[in-house]
Amino acid sequence: MRRIFLSSLLLMGAPLFASDAAKDLPKFSGSDYQKYWNDACARCHGANGSGRDNNGKPLPDNGFDFTDSRKANKKKDGDWIKITLDGKDKMPAFKDKMTPADVEKMIPIMRKFAAK
Ligand code: HEC
Protein backbone atom coordinates (compact mmCIF):
# COMPACT_ATOMS: atom_id res chain seq x y z
CA MET A 1 0.00 0.00 0.00
CA ARG A 2 2.67 2.40 1.05
CA ARG A 3 4.77 1.52 -1.96
CA ILE A 4 1.87 2.25 -4.33
CA PHE A 5 1.32 5.61 -2.67
CA LEU A 6 4.98 6.56 -3.02
CA SER A 7 5.25 5.56 -6.66
CA SER A 8 2.12 7.47 -7.62
CA LEU A 9 3.62 10.52 -5.92
CA LEU A 10 6.72 10.08 -8.07
CA LEU A 11 4.64 9.76 -11.22
CA MET A 12 2.73 12.95 -10.45
CA GLY A 13 5.88 14.82 -9.56
CA ALA A 14 7.91 13.92 -12.61
CA PRO A 15 6.26 16.20 -15.17
CA LEU A 16 6.33 19.10 -12.71
CA PHE A 17 10.05 18.76 -12.12
CA ALA A 18 10.77 18.27 -15.80
CA SER A 19 9.36 21.66 -16.75
CA ASP A 20 10.88 23.60 -13.85
CA ALA A 21 13.63 25.17 -15.93
CA ALA A 22 11.09 26.62 -18.37
CA LYS A 23 8.93 28.11 -15.62
CA ASP A 24 8.86 31.85 -14.95
CA LEU A 25 10.96 32.78 -17.94
CA PRO A 26 11.23 36.56 -17.90
CA LYS A 27 10.12 38.70 -20.81
CA PHE A 28 12.91 40.54 -22.58
CA SER A 29 13.03 44.29 -22.09
CA GLY A 30 15.69 46.91 -22.48
CA SER A 31 18.85 46.29 -24.48
CA ASP A 32 21.11 44.14 -22.32
CA TYR A 33 21.24 40.88 -24.27
CA GLN A 34 24.02 39.42 -22.16
CA LYS A 35 21.90 39.93 -19.04
CA TYR A 36 18.96 38.25 -20.75
CA TRP A 37 21.15 35.26 -21.61
CA ASN A 38 21.98 34.95 -17.90
CA ASP A 39 18.37 35.46 -16.78
CA ALA A 40 16.52 33.35 -19.36
CA CYS A 41 18.89 31.03 -21.23
CA ALA A 42 21.66 30.15 -18.77
CA ARG A 43 19.36 28.01 -16.58
CA CYS A 44 19.49 25.40 -19.36
CA HIS A 45 22.41 26.43 -21.56
CA GLY A 46 24.82 27.59 -18.84
CA ALA A 47 26.34 31.03 -18.34
CA ASN A 48 29.18 29.92 -20.62
CA GLY A 49 26.94 28.27 -23.23
CA SER A 50 28.17 24.73 -22.57
CA GLY A 51 24.95 23.44 -20.98
CA ARG A 52 26.84 22.90 -17.72
CA ASP A 53 26.75 24.75 -14.43
CA ASN A 54 29.78 26.47 -12.90
CA ASN A 55 30.95 23.16 -11.41
CA GLY A 56 30.88 21.44 -14.80
CA LYS A 57 27.73 19.48 -13.98
CA PRO A 58 25.31 19.08 -16.93
CA LEU A 59 22.14 21.19 -16.48
CA PRO A 60 18.82 19.28 -16.54
CA ASP A 61 17.41 20.66 -19.79
CA ASN A 62 20.62 21.44 -21.64
CA GLY A 63 20.27 20.65 -25.30
CA PHE A 64 23.19 22.06 -27.21
CA ASP A 65 26.82 22.84 -26.40
CA PHE A 66 27.44 26.29 -27.87
CA THR A 67 31.15 26.00 -26.96
CA ASP A 68 31.57 23.04 -29.35
CA SER A 69 32.82 25.17 -32.23
CA ARG A 70 32.90 22.29 -34.70
CA LYS A 71 29.15 21.82 -34.28
CA ALA A 72 28.20 25.45 -33.64
CA ASN A 73 30.00 26.74 -36.74
CA LYS A 74 27.87 24.47 -38.94
CA LYS A 75 24.68 26.07 -37.65
CA LYS A 76 23.02 28.93 -39.50
CA ASP A 77 21.93 32.14 -37.76
CA GLY A 78 18.50 31.81 -39.38
CA ASP A 79 17.95 28.36 -37.84
CA TRP A 80 18.99 29.58 -34.40
CA ILE A 81 16.60 32.53 -34.68
CA LYS A 82 13.77 30.22 -35.72
CA ILE A 83 14.41 27.70 -32.89
CA THR A 84 14.59 30.50 -30.31
CA LEU A 85 11.30 32.00 -31.51
CA ASP A 86 9.37 28.76 -32.09
CA GLY A 87 11.06 26.36 -29.65
CA LYS A 88 12.02 22.73 -30.28
CA ASP A 89 11.33 19.76 -27.99
CA LYS A 90 12.40 20.95 -24.52
CA MET A 91 13.62 24.28 -25.85
CA PRO A 92 10.80 26.72 -25.00
CA ALA A 93 9.45 29.15 -27.62
CA PHE A 94 10.41 32.75 -26.93
CA LYS A 95 8.17 34.47 -29.47
CA ASP A 96 5.95 35.86 -26.71
CA LYS A 97 9.03 37.08 -24.82
CA MET A 98 11.24 38.56 -27.55
CA THR A 99 10.81 40.13 -30.98
CA PRO A 100 12.61 38.54 -33.96
CA ALA A 101 14.91 41.60 -33.99
CA ASP A 102 15.83 40.98 -30.35
CA VAL A 103 16.58 37.32 -31.04
CA GLU A 104 18.80 38.37 -33.95
CA LYS A 105 20.77 40.57 -31.57
CA MET A 106 21.41 37.56 -29.29
CA ILE A 107 23.15 35.64 -32.06
CA PRO A 108 26.57 37.26 -31.39
CA ILE A 109 26.29 36.13 -27.76
CA MET A 110 25.68 32.53 -28.87
CA ARG A 111 28.52 32.74 -31.44
CA LYS A 112 30.96 34.12 -28.88
CA PHE A 113 30.83 30.89 -26.83
CA ALA A 114 32.46 28.97 -29.70
CA ALA A 115 34.94 31.68 -30.55
CA LYS A 116 37.31 30.88 -27.70
C1 HEC B 1 14.13 25.04 -20.45
C2 HEC B 1 15.47 24.97 -20.98
C3 HEC B 1 15.91 25.94 -22.05
C4 HEC B 1 15.89 27.33 -22.00
C5 HEC B 1 15.38 28.22 -20.88
C6 HEC B 1 16.50 27.78 -23.23
N1 HEC B 1 16.85 26.70 -24.00
FE1 HEC B 1 17.65 26.75 -25.87
N2 HEC B 1 17.57 24.73 -26.00
C7 HEC B 1 17.12 23.89 -25.01
C8 HEC B 1 17.14 22.52 -25.48
C9 HEC B 1 16.72 21.30 -24.70
C10 HEC B 1 17.62 22.57 -26.83
C11 HEC B 1 17.79 21.41 -27.79
C12 HEC B 1 16.54 21.26 -28.63
C13 HEC B 1 16.64 20.07 -29.56
O1 HEC B 1 17.40 20.13 -30.51
O2 HEC B 1 15.97 19.07 -29.28
C14 HEC B 1 17.89 23.98 -27.11
C15 HEC B 1 18.34 24.45 -28.32
C16 HEC B 1 18.61 25.78 -28.60
C17 HEC B 1 19.09 26.26 -29.87
C18 HEC B 1 19.39 25.39 -31.11
C19 HEC B 1 20.81 24.86 -31.05
C20 HEC B 1 21.08 23.91 -32.21
O3 HEC B 1 21.65 24.34 -33.21
O4 HEC B 1 20.69 22.73 -32.11
C21 HEC B 1 19.22 27.62 -29.76
C22 HEC B 1 19.70 28.58 -30.84
C23 HEC B 1 18.82 27.98 -28.43
N3 HEC B 1 18.46 26.84 -27.73
C24 HEC B 1 18.84 29.27 -27.93
C25 HEC B 1 18.32 29.64 -26.69
C26 HEC B 1 18.22 31.01 -26.23
C27 HEC B 1 18.71 32.22 -27.00
C28 HEC B 1 17.61 30.97 -25.01
C29 HEC B 1 17.23 32.14 -24.13
C30 HEC B 1 16.56 33.26 -24.75
C31 HEC B 1 17.34 29.57 -24.71
N4 HEC B 1 17.79 28.80 -25.74
C32 HEC B 1 16.69 29.12 -23.56
C33 HEC B 1 16.70 24.26 -23.74
C34 HEC B 1 16.51 25.57 -23.31
Side-chain angles (χ1 to χ4, degrees):
M1 189 59 197
R2 196 174 155 176
R3 182 185 286 228
I4 292 169
F5 174 70
L6 279 178
S7 53
S8 58
L9 258 188
L10 279 176
L11 282 175
M12 288 188 306
L16 292 176
F17 290 127
S19 57
D20 263 6
K23 259 187 8 200
D24 306 322
L25 285 167
K27 219 173 152 127
F28 179 76
S29 69
S31 57
D32 192 339
Y33 296 92
Q34 183 61 58
K35 182 177 184 306
Y36 193 64
W37 177 272
N38 293 333
D39 292 346
C41 317
R43 61 183 76 186
C44 297
H45 289 296
N48 62 0
S50 68
R52 290 167 178 273
D53 68 15
N54 291 336
N55 300 317
K57 193 169 157 267
L59 290 160
D61 283 329
N62 79 85
F64 184 76
D65 182 356
F66 287 92
T67 65
D68 183 339
S69 48
R70 216 168 48 90
K71 280 194 191 142
N73 293 340
K74 282 192 206 139
K75 305 284 184 160
K76 296 196 182 79
D77 289 357
D79 294 334
W80 278 2
I81 292 169
K82 194 177 171 338
I83 291 171
T84 306
L85 288 171
D86 296 338
K88 189 184 170 198
D89 303 326
K90 281 192 174 173
M91 163 72 192
F94 278 87
K95 59 173 166 242
D96 57 342
K97 312 236 183 296
M98 306 180 84
T99 66
D102 285 331
V103 176
E104 202 173 334
K105 293 203 180 113
M106 291 206 75
I107 294 289
I109 291 175
M110 297 184 240
R111 292 286 172 207
K112 197 185 60 194
F113 296 128
K116 282 181 215 139

